[in-house]
Amino acid sequence: MMIDFNKVNLKYKNKTILKEFSLKIEKGDKILLYGKSGIGKSTILRLLLSFISPDSGNIIYKGKPLTPEIAWQARKEIAYVSQDTDLGEGTVQEIIDEIRSFKTNKNLSDPIQLLKEFSLDRNILKKNITELSGGERQRIAIIIALLLKRDIFLLDELTSSLDSALKKKVIEKFFGRNDATVIAISHDPGWKEKAKKVVRLR
Amino acid sequence: MSGAQDISWFSLGYCLLLVVIPLAVSWYLRLKLSKEIIVSVIRMITQLFLVGIFLVYIFDLDNLWLTFAWLMMMVLFATHSVISKSKLCWRCFLFPTMLSFAVATVTVLLYFNGLVIRLDNIFEAKYIIALAGMLLGNSLRGNIIGVNSFYDRIRRNENRYLYRLSAGATKFEACLPYIRQGLKDAILPMTATVATMGIVALPGMMTGQILGGSSPMVAIKYQIAIMIAILAAMTISITMSLALTIRNNFDPYGRLRKEVFRDSKDR
Protein backbone atom coordinates (compact mmCIF):
# COMPACT_ATOMS: atom_id res chain seq x y z
CA MET A 1 0.00 0.00 0.00
CA MET A 2 1.40 3.34 -1.03
CA ILE A 3 -1.09 5.78 0.45
CA ASP A 4 -4.06 5.17 2.67
CA PHE A 5 -6.64 7.74 3.72
CA ASN A 6 -8.56 6.22 6.59
CA LYS A 7 -11.83 7.87 7.73
CA VAL A 8 -10.47 11.38 7.38
CA ASN A 9 -12.58 14.27 8.65
CA LEU A 10 -11.87 17.89 8.01
CA LYS A 11 -13.76 21.06 8.74
CA TYR A 12 -12.80 24.54 7.64
CA LYS A 13 -14.52 27.58 9.14
CA ASN A 14 -17.31 25.35 10.48
CA LYS A 15 -17.94 23.89 7.04
CA THR A 16 -17.44 20.16 6.59
CA ILE A 17 -15.00 19.56 3.75
CA LEU A 18 -14.35 15.86 4.14
CA LYS A 19 -16.44 13.42 6.11
CA GLU A 20 -15.19 9.90 6.82
CA PHE A 21 -13.16 9.98 3.62
CA SER A 22 -11.27 6.79 2.84
CA LEU A 23 -9.10 5.95 -0.16
CA LYS A 24 -6.45 3.33 -0.74
CA ILE A 25 -3.77 3.91 -3.34
CA GLU A 26 -1.44 1.20 -4.57
CA LYS A 27 1.97 1.72 -6.10
CA GLY A 28 1.58 2.45 -9.81
CA ASP A 29 -2.09 3.48 -9.53
CA LYS A 30 -3.44 6.08 -11.94
CA ILE A 31 -6.32 7.70 -10.12
CA LEU A 32 -8.68 10.42 -11.20
CA LEU A 33 -10.55 12.32 -8.49
CA TYR A 34 -13.79 13.56 -9.83
CA GLY A 35 -16.73 15.55 -8.52
CA LYS A 36 -18.30 18.97 -8.17
CA SER A 37 -16.02 21.89 -7.45
CA GLY A 38 -15.68 22.77 -3.79
CA ILE A 39 -16.19 19.17 -2.76
CA GLY A 40 -12.67 18.76 -1.35
CA LYS A 41 -10.67 17.18 -4.16
CA SER A 42 -7.80 19.66 -3.87
CA THR A 43 -7.96 19.28 -0.10
CA ILE A 44 -7.09 15.60 -0.43
CA LEU A 45 -3.85 16.47 -2.23
CA ARG A 46 -3.07 19.22 0.26
CA LEU A 47 -3.61 16.80 3.13
CA LEU A 48 -1.15 14.36 1.61
CA LEU A 49 1.47 17.13 1.37
CA SER A 50 0.67 18.13 4.98
CA PHE A 51 -0.19 21.69 3.99
CA ILE A 52 -3.12 21.04 6.31
CA SER A 53 -3.83 18.31 8.82
CA PRO A 54 -7.08 16.39 9.27
CA ASP A 55 -9.27 16.98 12.33
CA SER A 56 -9.48 13.22 12.78
CA GLY A 57 -8.65 10.02 10.92
CA ASN A 58 -5.35 8.74 9.60
CA ILE A 59 -3.28 9.30 6.53
CA ILE A 60 -0.74 6.53 6.02
CA TYR A 61 2.18 7.10 3.66
CA LYS A 62 4.21 4.01 2.70
CA GLY A 63 3.01 2.22 5.80
CA LYS A 64 3.67 5.05 8.24
CA PRO A 65 1.37 7.72 9.67
CA LEU A 66 2.04 11.18 8.32
CA THR A 67 4.07 12.57 11.24
CA PRO A 68 6.18 15.68 10.60
CA GLU A 69 9.20 13.51 9.88
CA ILE A 70 7.34 11.37 7.34
CA ALA A 71 5.73 14.48 5.83
CA TRP A 72 9.11 16.10 5.08
CA GLN A 73 10.21 12.79 3.55
CA ALA A 74 7.02 12.50 1.48
CA ARG A 75 7.48 15.98 0.02
CA LYS A 76 10.85 14.85 -1.31
CA GLU A 77 9.22 11.92 -3.07
CA ILE A 78 6.15 13.69 -4.44
CA ALA A 79 5.79 16.15 -7.29
CA TYR A 80 2.83 18.50 -7.01
CA VAL A 81 1.36 20.75 -9.66
CA SER A 82 -1.82 22.68 -9.16
CA GLN A 83 -3.65 25.30 -11.16
CA ASP A 84 -2.91 27.61 -8.21
CA THR A 85 0.79 26.78 -8.25
CA ASP A 86 2.80 29.94 -7.74
CA LEU A 87 6.27 29.24 -9.07
CA GLY A 88 7.79 32.43 -7.66
CA GLU A 89 9.53 35.39 -9.22
CA GLY A 90 12.14 35.89 -11.90
CA THR A 91 12.92 34.27 -15.23
CA VAL A 92 12.05 30.68 -15.95
CA GLN A 93 15.73 29.78 -15.71
CA GLU A 94 16.01 31.45 -12.31
CA ILE A 95 12.96 29.58 -11.08
CA ILE A 96 14.42 26.27 -12.20
CA ASP A 97 17.76 27.15 -10.60
CA GLU A 98 15.99 28.03 -7.37
CA ILE A 99 14.29 24.62 -7.24
CA ARG A 100 17.65 23.04 -8.07
CA SER A 101 19.23 24.88 -5.12
CA PHE A 102 17.30 22.65 -2.68
CA LYS A 103 19.64 20.00 -1.34
CA THR A 104 17.31 17.20 -2.37
CA ASN A 105 17.10 18.43 -6.00
CA LYS A 106 20.82 18.77 -6.73
CA ASN A 107 20.62 16.42 -9.72
CA LEU A 108 17.79 18.21 -11.48
CA SER A 109 18.40 17.57 -15.18
CA ASP A 110 18.38 19.96 -18.09
CA PRO A 111 14.93 21.12 -19.23
CA ILE A 112 15.78 21.53 -22.95
CA GLN A 113 14.42 18.15 -24.05
CA LEU A 114 11.14 18.60 -22.18
CA LEU A 115 10.71 22.15 -23.48
CA LYS A 116 10.81 20.76 -27.02
CA GLU A 117 8.43 17.99 -26.13
CA PHE A 118 5.86 20.48 -24.85
CA SER A 119 6.25 22.84 -27.84
CA LEU A 120 8.11 25.57 -25.99
CA ASP A 121 11.00 27.52 -27.46
CA ARG A 122 14.22 27.36 -25.43
CA ASN A 123 14.23 31.17 -25.34
CA ILE A 124 11.43 30.93 -22.83
CA LEU A 125 14.09 30.25 -20.18
CA LYS A 126 15.17 33.88 -20.41
CA LYS A 127 11.65 35.23 -20.12
CA ASN A 128 10.20 36.52 -16.90
CA ILE A 129 7.47 34.28 -15.52
CA THR A 130 5.04 37.22 -15.53
CA GLU A 131 5.39 37.54 -19.33
CA LEU A 132 4.16 33.98 -19.92
CA SER A 133 0.62 33.03 -20.86
CA GLY A 134 -1.41 30.79 -18.55
CA GLY A 135 -0.76 27.79 -20.80
CA GLU A 136 2.98 28.43 -20.92
CA ARG A 137 3.19 28.78 -17.17
CA GLN A 138 1.25 25.56 -16.74
CA ARG A 139 3.68 23.73 -19.01
CA ILE A 140 6.68 25.11 -17.12
CA ALA A 141 5.18 23.82 -13.87
CA ILE A 142 4.63 20.43 -15.52
CA ILE A 143 8.21 20.35 -16.83
CA ILE A 144 9.60 21.15 -13.37
CA ALA A 145 7.49 18.37 -11.87
CA LEU A 146 8.95 15.93 -14.41
CA LEU A 147 12.50 17.19 -13.88
CA LEU A 148 12.19 16.44 -10.16
CA LYS A 149 12.24 12.72 -11.03
CA ARG A 150 9.69 11.83 -8.35
CA ASP A 151 7.56 8.73 -8.62
CA ILE A 152 4.40 10.09 -7.02
CA PHE A 153 2.53 12.84 -8.85
CA LEU A 154 -0.29 14.96 -7.47
CA LEU A 155 -1.86 16.87 -10.34
CA ASP A 156 -4.63 19.39 -9.76
CA GLU A 157 -6.38 20.63 -12.93
CA LEU A 158 -3.13 20.35 -14.76
CA THR A 159 -4.39 20.84 -18.30
CA SER A 160 -7.03 23.53 -17.83
CA SER A 161 -5.22 26.04 -20.06
CA LEU A 162 -3.83 23.65 -22.69
CA ASP A 163 -5.09 22.86 -26.18
CA SER A 164 -6.27 19.33 -26.93
CA ALA A 165 -3.06 18.07 -28.57
CA LEU A 166 -0.95 19.16 -25.59
CA LYS A 167 -3.58 17.89 -23.19
CA LYS A 168 -3.33 14.44 -24.74
CA LYS A 169 0.44 14.53 -24.50
CA VAL A 170 0.40 15.54 -20.83
CA ILE A 171 -2.15 12.87 -19.91
CA GLU A 172 -0.08 10.25 -21.70
CA LYS A 173 3.08 11.50 -20.01
CA PHE A 174 1.69 10.87 -16.53
CA PHE A 175 -0.92 8.14 -16.90
CA GLY A 176 1.21 6.27 -19.43
CA ARG A 177 4.12 5.61 -17.08
CA ASN A 178 4.14 2.23 -15.40
CA ASP A 179 6.35 3.13 -12.46
CA ALA A 180 4.56 6.33 -11.47
CA THR A 181 1.79 6.63 -8.90
CA VAL A 182 -0.52 9.42 -10.05
CA ILE A 183 -3.47 11.15 -8.41
CA ALA A 184 -5.06 13.63 -10.78
CA ILE A 185 -7.95 16.03 -10.46
CA SER A 186 -9.63 17.13 -13.65
CA HIS A 187 -12.99 17.82 -15.20
CA ASP A 188 -11.59 16.87 -18.57
CA PRO A 189 -12.89 13.61 -20.10
CA GLY A 190 -9.42 12.90 -21.53
CA TRP A 191 -8.12 12.09 -18.07
CA LYS A 192 -11.14 9.91 -17.27
CA GLU A 193 -10.54 7.74 -20.33
CA LYS A 194 -6.96 6.98 -19.40
CA ALA A 195 -7.39 6.60 -15.64
CA LYS A 196 -7.14 3.13 -14.12
CA LYS A 197 -9.42 4.10 -11.30
CA VAL A 198 -11.96 6.90 -11.07
CA VAL A 199 -12.95 8.07 -7.60
CA ARG A 200 -16.09 10.10 -7.48
CA LEU A 201 -16.50 12.43 -4.50
CA ARG A 202 -19.96 13.35 -3.30
CA MET B 1 35.22 71.68 25.03
CA SER B 2 33.35 74.85 25.80
CA GLY B 3 29.96 73.24 25.10
CA ALA B 4 27.02 74.84 23.37
CA GLN B 5 25.55 78.08 24.62
CA ASP B 6 23.07 77.17 27.34
CA ILE B 7 19.41 78.01 26.75
CA SER B 8 17.94 79.74 29.80
CA TRP B 9 14.56 78.59 31.13
CA PHE B 10 13.17 81.94 30.19
CA SER B 11 14.34 81.50 26.60
CA LEU B 12 12.87 78.03 26.44
CA GLY B 13 9.56 79.76 27.14
CA TYR B 14 10.11 81.79 23.98
CA CYS B 15 10.64 78.59 22.08
CA LEU B 16 7.39 77.18 23.45
CA LEU B 17 5.68 80.22 22.05
CA LEU B 18 6.45 78.83 18.57
CA VAL B 19 3.94 76.05 19.24
CA VAL B 20 1.31 78.70 18.61
CA ILE B 21 2.07 78.49 14.89
CA PRO B 22 1.02 74.86 14.30
CA LEU B 23 -1.90 75.41 16.70
CA ALA B 24 -3.05 78.46 14.76
CA VAL B 25 -2.84 76.63 11.43
CA SER B 26 -4.72 73.70 12.91
CA TRP B 27 -7.43 75.98 14.24
CA TYR B 28 -7.71 78.07 11.07
CA LEU B 29 -7.90 75.11 8.68
CA ARG B 30 -9.84 72.97 11.16
CA LEU B 31 -7.28 70.17 11.08
CA LYS B 32 -8.48 69.06 14.51
CA LEU B 33 -4.88 68.39 15.45
CA SER B 34 -4.66 70.79 18.40
CA LYS B 35 -4.98 68.02 20.93
CA GLU B 36 -2.32 65.87 19.23
CA ILE B 37 0.07 68.80 19.02
CA ILE B 38 -0.31 69.77 22.67
CA VAL B 39 -0.17 66.19 23.94
CA SER B 40 2.91 65.36 21.88
CA VAL B 41 4.75 68.47 23.08
CA ILE B 42 3.85 67.79 26.71
CA ARG B 43 4.92 64.17 26.38
CA MET B 44 8.21 65.21 24.86
CA ILE B 45 8.90 67.75 27.57
CA THR B 46 8.14 65.28 30.37
CA GLN B 47 10.14 62.45 28.81
CA LEU B 48 13.14 64.59 28.05
CA PHE B 49 13.14 66.18 31.50
CA LEU B 50 13.13 62.78 33.13
CA VAL B 51 15.81 61.53 30.75
CA GLY B 52 17.86 64.66 31.40
CA ILE B 53 17.70 64.18 35.16
CA PHE B 54 18.54 60.47 34.91
CA LEU B 55 21.38 61.03 32.48
CA VAL B 56 23.01 63.64 34.72
CA TYR B 57 23.09 61.04 37.50
CA ILE B 58 24.10 58.14 35.30
CA PHE B 59 26.93 60.06 33.66
CA ASP B 60 28.15 61.30 37.06
CA LEU B 61 28.02 57.89 38.70
CA ASP B 62 29.38 56.12 35.60
CA ASN B 63 28.54 52.77 37.17
CA LEU B 64 28.78 49.77 34.85
CA TRP B 65 25.62 48.05 36.12
CA LEU B 66 23.57 51.19 36.09
CA THR B 67 24.70 51.95 32.56
CA PHE B 68 23.71 48.49 31.38
CA ALA B 69 20.40 48.61 33.20
CA TRP B 70 19.63 51.84 31.35
CA LEU B 71 20.79 50.28 28.09
CA MET B 72 18.43 47.35 28.61
CA MET B 73 15.58 49.77 29.26
CA MET B 74 16.30 51.35 25.91
CA VAL B 75 16.32 47.92 24.27
CA LEU B 76 12.99 47.12 25.89
CA PHE B 77 11.43 50.34 24.58
CA ALA B 78 12.84 49.71 21.10
CA THR B 79 11.37 46.20 21.12
CA HIS B 80 8.03 47.49 22.32
CA SER B 81 8.00 50.01 19.53
CA VAL B 82 8.85 47.43 16.85
CA ILE B 83 6.14 44.99 17.88
CA SER B 84 3.40 47.54 18.50
CA LYS B 85 3.98 49.04 15.05
CA SER B 86 3.57 45.61 13.44
CA LYS B 87 0.72 43.12 13.27
CA LEU B 88 2.80 40.47 14.97
CA CYS B 89 1.97 38.66 18.19
CA TRP B 90 3.65 39.84 21.38
CA ARG B 91 4.39 36.46 22.84
CA CYS B 92 6.10 35.15 19.68
CA PHE B 93 8.32 38.17 19.12
CA LEU B 94 9.03 39.94 22.42
CA PHE B 95 11.92 37.84 23.65
CA PRO B 96 13.67 37.11 20.31
CA THR B 97 13.48 40.75 19.23
CA MET B 98 14.83 41.98 22.56
CA LEU B 99 17.68 39.52 22.46
CA SER B 100 18.55 40.52 18.89
CA PHE B 101 18.56 44.23 19.71
CA ALA B 102 20.64 43.64 22.82
CA VAL B 103 23.25 41.49 21.11
CA ALA B 104 23.50 43.74 18.04
CA THR B 105 23.75 46.94 20.07
CA VAL B 106 26.20 45.69 22.66
CA THR B 107 28.62 44.02 20.23
CA VAL B 108 28.69 46.94 17.82
CA LEU B 109 29.02 49.43 20.70
CA LEU B 110 31.95 47.68 22.33
CA TYR B 111 33.72 47.30 18.98
CA PHE B 112 33.03 50.96 18.27
CA ASN B 113 34.20 52.26 21.65
CA GLY B 114 37.23 50.00 21.77
CA LEU B 115 38.58 50.03 18.23
CA VAL B 116 37.10 53.11 16.59
CA ILE B 117 36.97 55.79 19.30
CA ARG B 118 39.61 53.96 21.38
CA LEU B 119 38.20 54.97 24.75
CA ASP B 120 40.25 54.18 27.85
CA ASN B 121 37.08 52.90 29.43
CA ILE B 122 34.94 51.31 26.72
CA PHE B 123 32.04 51.14 29.17
CA GLU B 124 31.95 54.89 29.79
CA ALA B 125 28.31 55.72 30.38
CA LYS B 126 28.26 58.85 28.24
CA TYR B 127 29.40 57.02 25.13
CA ILE B 128 27.46 53.81 25.70
CA ILE B 129 24.13 55.53 26.20
CA ALA B 130 24.41 58.25 23.60
CA LEU B 131 25.64 55.87 20.90
CA ALA B 132 23.21 53.08 21.85
CA GLY B 133 20.41 55.59 21.41
CA MET B 134 21.56 56.30 17.88
CA LEU B 135 22.05 52.64 17.00
CA LEU B 136 18.67 51.59 18.37
CA GLY B 137 16.77 54.59 17.09
CA ASN B 138 18.05 54.11 13.59
CA SER B 139 17.90 50.33 13.33
CA LEU B 140 14.35 50.34 14.68
CA ARG B 141 12.72 51.24 11.40
CA GLY B 142 14.76 48.68 9.53
CA ASN B 143 13.69 46.00 11.96
CA ILE B 144 10.03 46.84 11.65
CA ILE B 145 10.28 46.74 7.86
CA GLY B 146 12.42 43.61 7.64
CA VAL B 147 10.56 41.36 10.06
CA ASN B 148 7.15 42.49 8.82
CA SER B 149 8.14 41.97 5.22
CA PHE B 150 9.26 38.42 5.93
CA TYR B 151 6.10 37.26 7.69
CA ASP B 152 3.70 39.28 5.61
CA ARG B 153 5.03 38.01 2.30
CA ILE B 154 4.83 34.39 3.40
CA ARG B 155 1.24 34.92 4.46
CA ARG B 156 0.27 36.83 1.34
CA ASN B 157 1.99 34.45 -1.07
CA GLU B 158 1.13 31.29 0.79
CA ASN B 159 0.88 29.22 -2.38
CA ARG B 160 4.38 30.19 -3.39
CA TYR B 161 5.76 29.14 -0.02
CA LEU B 162 3.82 25.88 -0.04
CA TYR B 163 4.99 25.13 -3.57
CA ARG B 164 8.58 25.32 -2.35
CA LEU B 165 7.76 22.90 0.46
CA SER B 166 6.12 20.53 -2.02
CA ALA B 167 9.27 20.63 -4.18
CA GLY B 168 11.26 19.19 -1.29
CA ALA B 169 12.65 22.35 0.32
CA THR B 170 13.69 22.28 3.95
CA LYS B 171 12.13 24.97 6.11
CA PHE B 172 15.21 27.13 5.69
CA GLU B 173 15.31 26.59 1.91
CA ALA B 174 11.63 27.46 1.63
CA CYS B 175 12.13 30.62 3.71
CA LEU B 176 15.28 31.82 1.98
CA PRO B 177 13.75 34.12 -0.67
CA TYR B 178 11.63 35.74 2.06
CA ILE B 179 14.68 36.21 4.28
CA ARG B 180 16.50 37.83 1.36
CA GLN B 181 13.57 40.09 0.58
CA GLY B 182 13.11 41.09 4.22
CA LEU B 183 16.75 42.08 4.57
CA LYS B 184 16.66 43.96 1.26
CA ASP B 185 13.51 45.84 2.22
CA ALA B 186 15.17 46.89 5.48
CA ILE B 187 18.66 47.72 4.27
CA LEU B 188 17.84 49.54 1.01
CA PRO B 189 16.18 52.60 2.63
CA MET B 190 19.15 52.79 5.00
CA THR B 191 21.63 52.84 2.12
CA ALA B 192 19.59 55.65 0.61
CA THR B 193 19.95 57.60 3.86
CA VAL B 194 23.67 56.89 3.96
CA ALA B 195 24.12 57.96 0.35
CA THR B 196 22.43 61.34 0.86
CA MET B 197 24.16 62.08 4.15
CA GLY B 198 25.24 65.67 4.45
CA ILE B 199 23.49 66.79 1.27
CA VAL B 200 19.86 66.68 2.29
CA ALA B 201 20.42 67.71 5.90
CA LEU B 202 23.11 67.90 8.49
CA PRO B 203 22.58 64.86 10.69
CA GLY B 204 21.52 65.49 14.29
CA MET B 205 24.68 64.19 15.86
CA MET B 206 26.88 66.38 13.66
CA THR B 207 24.81 69.44 14.48
CA GLY B 208 25.10 68.61 18.15
CA GLN B 209 28.84 68.17 18.02
CA ILE B 210 29.43 71.34 16.03
CA LEU B 211 27.29 73.37 18.43
CA GLY B 212 29.09 71.58 21.26
CA GLY B 213 32.38 73.04 20.08
CA SER B 214 33.88 70.19 18.03
CA SER B 215 35.47 71.01 14.71
CA PRO B 216 33.39 69.94 11.69
CA MET B 217 36.16 67.49 10.78
CA VAL B 218 35.74 65.67 14.08
CA ALA B 219 31.98 65.75 13.62
CA ILE B 220 32.07 64.18 10.16
CA LYS B 221 34.41 61.42 11.31
CA TYR B 222 31.97 60.54 14.06
CA GLN B 223 29.10 60.70 11.60
CA ILE B 224 30.81 58.38 9.12
CA ALA B 225 31.63 55.94 11.88
CA ILE B 226 28.17 55.98 13.41
CA MET B 227 26.38 55.48 10.08
CA ILE B 228 28.46 52.41 9.36
CA ALA B 229 27.85 51.17 12.90
CA ILE B 230 24.11 51.63 12.40
CA LEU B 231 24.22 49.65 9.17
CA ALA B 232 26.08 46.83 10.93
CA ALA B 233 23.87 46.82 14.04
CA MET B 234 20.73 46.83 11.92
CA THR B 235 21.89 43.92 9.79
CA ILE B 236 22.84 41.89 12.86
CA SER B 237 19.58 42.56 14.66
CA ILE B 238 17.29 41.76 11.71
CA THR B 239 19.17 38.63 10.74
CA MET B 240 19.07 37.49 14.35
CA SER B 241 15.39 38.36 14.82
CA LEU B 242 14.52 36.31 11.76
CA ALA B 243 16.76 33.40 12.70
CA LEU B 244 15.33 33.26 16.23
CA THR B 245 11.67 33.71 15.31
CA ILE B 246 11.71 31.28 12.38
CA ARG B 247 12.53 28.52 14.87
CA ASN B 248 9.24 28.81 16.74
CA ASN B 249 6.82 30.47 14.37
CA PHE B 250 6.45 27.50 12.05
CA ASP B 251 4.85 24.25 13.13
CA PRO B 252 6.73 20.93 12.82
CA TYR B 253 5.25 20.48 9.32
CA GLY B 254 6.84 23.77 8.22
CA ARG B 255 3.56 25.72 8.09
CA LEU B 256 3.53 29.31 9.30
CA ARG B 257 1.56 29.40 12.54
CA LYS B 258 -1.66 31.40 12.39
CA GLU B 259 -1.04 32.90 15.87
CA VAL B 260 1.98 34.78 14.56
CA PHE B 261 -0.34 37.62 13.55
CA ARG B 262 -2.38 39.55 16.07
CA ASP B 263 -5.27 39.82 13.61
CA SER B 264 -5.38 36.07 12.92
CA LYS B 265 -8.56 35.67 14.97
CA ASP B 266 -10.54 37.98 12.69
CA ARG B 267 -9.62 36.08 9.59
Side-chain angles (χ1 to χ4, degrees):
Chain A
M1 187 75 61
M2 197 75 159
I3 296 155
D4 186 3
F5 286 85
N6 191 6
K7 293 187 177 162
V8 169
N9 287 291
L10 183 73
K11 271 187 185 170
Y12 182 70
K13 287 183 175 166
N14 293 326
K15 192 175 163 259
T16 303
I17 309 284
L18 294 174
K19 196 176 173 194
E20 300 285 299
F21 173 78
S22 294
L23 175 66
K24 289 186 195 313
I25 298 158
E26 304 283 352
K27 189 174 164 48
D29 264 356
K30 310 287 181 287
I31 292 177
L32 178 73
L33 296 179
Y34 176 84
K36 286 197 300 249
S37 53
I39 202 147
K41 303 184 295 291
S42 302
T43 306
I44 293 167
L45 305 189
R46 292 165 64 84
L47 277 167
L48 191 52
L49 290 158
S50 296
F51 292 170
I52 38 174
S53 292
D55 298 330
S56 66
N58 292 317
I59 302 167
I60 308 290
Y61 176 82
K62 291 187 176 170
K64 288 175 188 146
L66 215 48
T67 57
E69 192 194 342
I70 301 299
W72 288 104
Q73 188 55 41
R75 288 169 187 161
K76 291 179 184 167
E77 296 166 1
I78 294 174
Y80 169 64
V81 190
S82 141
Q83 57 187 350
D84 300 327
T85 288
D86 183 344
L87 294 169
E89 285 168 352
T91 64
V92 174
Q93 183 67 56
E94 283 165 351
I95 284 165
I96 294 175
D97 289 342
E98 184 68 28
I99 301 287
R100 188 183 279 126
S101 76
F102 303 162
K103 220 186 312 151
T104 188
N105 300 336
K106 282 283 173 276
N107 303 319
L108 208 71
S109 41
D110 197 75
I112 300 296
Q113 185 58 40
L114 283 167
L115 285 175
K116 212 187 289 171
E117 213 173 310
F118 289 103
S119 323
L120 291 170
D121 191 89
R122 61 190 302 166
N123 278 330
I124 204 169
L125 290 173
K126 297 194 198 97
K127 281 196 191 159
N128 197 291
I129 193 81
T130 50
E131 296 169 40
L132 305 190
S133 70
E136 287 172 323
R137 225 172 302 168
Q138 212 157 35
R139 275 176 279 171
I140 294 294
I142 291 168
I143 288 171
I144 294 176
L146 290 166
L147 287 175
L148 289 171
K149 294 251 182 325
R150 308 287 161 84
D151 50 12
I152 303 170
F153 293 94
L154 308 182
L155 314 172
D156 191 347
E157 293 290 1
L158 196 56
T159 48
S160 56
S161 315
L162 301 183
D163 64 37
S164 57
L166 277 168
K167 213 172 260 181
K168 221 172 144 193
K169 203 176 254 178
V170 171
I171 296 170
E172 182 55 34
K173 194 85 192 169
F174 288 101
F175 273 180
R177 288 170 56 166
N178 285 329
D179 53 336
T181 308
V182 184
I183 311 173
I185 295 171
S186 182
H187 289 99
D188 197 275
W191 287 90
K192 208 169 173 182
E193 274 168 35
K194 296 279 180 184
K196 266 201 212 152
K197 200 153 111 189
V198 177
V199 177
R200 175 148 190 202
L201 271 81
R202 325 167 174 268
Chain B
M1 261 196 284
S2 56
Q5 170 99 31
D6 192 7
I7 300 179
S8 74
W9 297 114
F10 183 71
S11 316
L12 201 58
Y14 268 123
C15 182
L16 269 179
L17 218 51
L18 287 176
V19 179
V20 171
I21 296 171
L23 283 178
V25 172
S26 167
W27 173 78
Y28 190 71
L29 295 176
R30 290 189 215 131
L31 302 178
K32 293 186 177 157
L33 286 179
S34 313
K35 201 178 133 198
E36 276 78 4
I37 294 168
I38 294 173
V39 168
S40 68
V41 169
I42 291 176
R43 263 194 71 159
M44 172 182 74
I45 294 174
T46 328
Q47 280 162 209
L48 287 183
F49 259 106
L50 288 175
V51 169
I53 293 164
F54 271 119
L55 287 185
V56 168
Y57 276 107
I58 289 175
F59 291 170
D60 274 351
L61 289 170
D62 206 357
N63 172 290
L64 181 63
W65 296 113
L66 197 60
T67 305
F68 268 82
W70 184 261
L71 184 61
M72 286 308 123
M73 281 268 293
M74 292 167 73
V75 167
L76 187 67
F77 276 109
T79 309
H80 180 271
S81 169
V82 166
I83 302 178
S84 61
K85 285 200 179 78
S86 70
K87 291 170 285 182
L88 303 168
C89 104
W90 287 93
R91 196 176 43 79
C92 329
F93 287 89
L94 185 64
F95 182 69
T97 312
M98 251 183 86
L99 189 64
S100 314
F101 270 137
V103 169
T105 310
V106 171
T107 45
V108 172
L109 264 182
L110 295 185
Y111 180 93
F112 196 80
N113 286 355
L115 289 165
V116 182
I117 314 186
R118 297 189 172 275
L119 291 178
D120 294 330
N121 171 19
I122 58 169
F123 300 108
E124 195 177 333
K126 205 158 67 178
Y127 285 86
I128 292 269
I129 288 167
L131 294 175
M134 293 204 61
L135 292 185
L136 282 169
N138 286 284
S139 54
L140 206 66
R141 230 172 65 90
N143 257 277
I144 296 171
I145 297 172
V147 174
N148 261 320
S149 152
F150 175 83
Y151 285 99
D152 212 48
R153 279 172 200 267
I154 291 189
R155 175 162 77 163
R156 267 189 298 145
N157 304 320
E158 196 189 16
N159 275 337
R160 186 176 299 177
Y161 175 77
L162 292 177
Y163 176 69
R164 298 173 72 81
L165 286 188
S166 81
T170 61
K171 184 169 73 177
F172 177 70
E173 285 168 341
C175 286
L176 197 55
Y178 302 93
I179 297 175
R180 286 193 195 116
Q181 195 59 49
L183 280 164
K184 270 192 200 167
D185 289 346
I187 293 172
L188 269 178
M190 197 62 214
T191 60
T193 311
V194 170
T196 54
M197 192 68 22
I199 298 174
V200 178
L202 272 194
M205 186 176 73
M206 256 177 81
T207 313
Q209 280 183 307
I210 291 171
L211 292 183
S214 301
S215 98
M217 278 326 266
V218 175
I220 63 148
K221 279 189 261 177
Y222 265 88
Q223 191 61 41
I224 291 167
I226 195 76
M227 288 318 290
I228 292 170
I230 289 168
L231 212 49
M234 191 175 84
T235 310
I236 296 173
S237 63
I238 304 170
T239 312
M240 230 182 115
S241 298
L242 289 179
L244 291 174
T245 55
I246 286 171
R247 290 170 66 90
N248 292 322
N249 289 340
F250 291 81
D251 71 10
Y253 289 96
R255 305 174 290 213
L256 182 61
R257 290 185 197 276
K258 294 263 179 301
E259 320 78 277
V260 164
F261 297 93
R262 287 207 287 275
D263 57 359
S264 62
K265 286 188 201 87
D266 328 324
R267 286 167 70 90

